[in-house]
Amino acid sequence: QVQLVESGGGSVQAGGSLRLSCAVSGYTYRSFCMGWFRQVPGKEREAVAAISNGVPGTYYVDSVKGRFTVSQDEKNTVYLQMNSLKPEDTAMYYCAVARPPSTMARWLASLDNAWGQGTQVTVSS
């Protein structure tokens, strides 16, 4: 069973940085697509960034391009480096891994994702 544990959220002033981590266990498949969604109360969940060993290799929502970077290490930990944070980045951030077939399209559509419990990011102006 796939399990995801997030860490690294917190409060920061606008212009600051945070790094989120997501430790993934129980995922033994060769193909992968994993990354981050975020959600603000009363709004739909939004895909923020993902990394895959397929095509495309990465995805970023337009609002974070040039500020956020998604990466993965050899121990299946996924990171989201968030720089130049803005108040509109305030949300609960969720790590998600697409179960096979692990394509970016399926991850974006949340067809069969495993989810973490979420970590809060708050950016003050």
Side-chain angles (χ1 to χ4, degrees):
Q1 185 170 348
V2 180
Q3 292 187 323
L4 297 83
V5 179
E6 300 117 329
S7 60
S11 298
V12 65
Q13 289 192 327
S17 298
L18 285 173
R19 189 173 83 152
L20 306 183
S21 299
C22 175
V24 181
S25 61
Y27 191 88
T28 59
Y29 307 100
R30 176 174 290 185
S31 65
F32 69 85
C33 183
M34 51 188 69
W36 300 87
F37 287 76
R38 66 187 178 187
Q39 189 167 25
V40 176
K43 293 189 176 182
E44 289 191 1
R45 184 175 54 203
E46 175 184 50
V48 177
I51 187 166
S52 167
N53 63 347
V55 178
T58 57
Y59 165 86
Y60 294 97
V61 68
D62 285 347
S63 60
V64 308
K65 286 180 180 177
R67 300 188 298 121
F68 290 12
T69 303
V70 63
S71 62
Q72 179 196 23
D73 67 15
E74 66 280 3
K75 296 183 179 180
N76 259 2
T77 298
V78 183
Y79 302 96
L80 186 66
Q81 178 66 44
M82 304 185 294
N83 299 327
S84 302
L85 282 161
K86 303 176 180 180
E88 51 264 43
D89 294 318
T90 295
M92 184 71 79
Y93 283 71
Y94 296 91
C95 181
V97 174
R99 296 185 180 93
S102 305
T103 66
M104 187 70 76
R106 288 177 60 86
W107 183 88
L108 286 167
S110 302
L111 292 179
D112 190 13
N113 289 349
W115 297 91
Q117 79 284 359
T119 186
Q120 178 68 35
V121 171
T122 302
V123 184
S124 58
S125 57

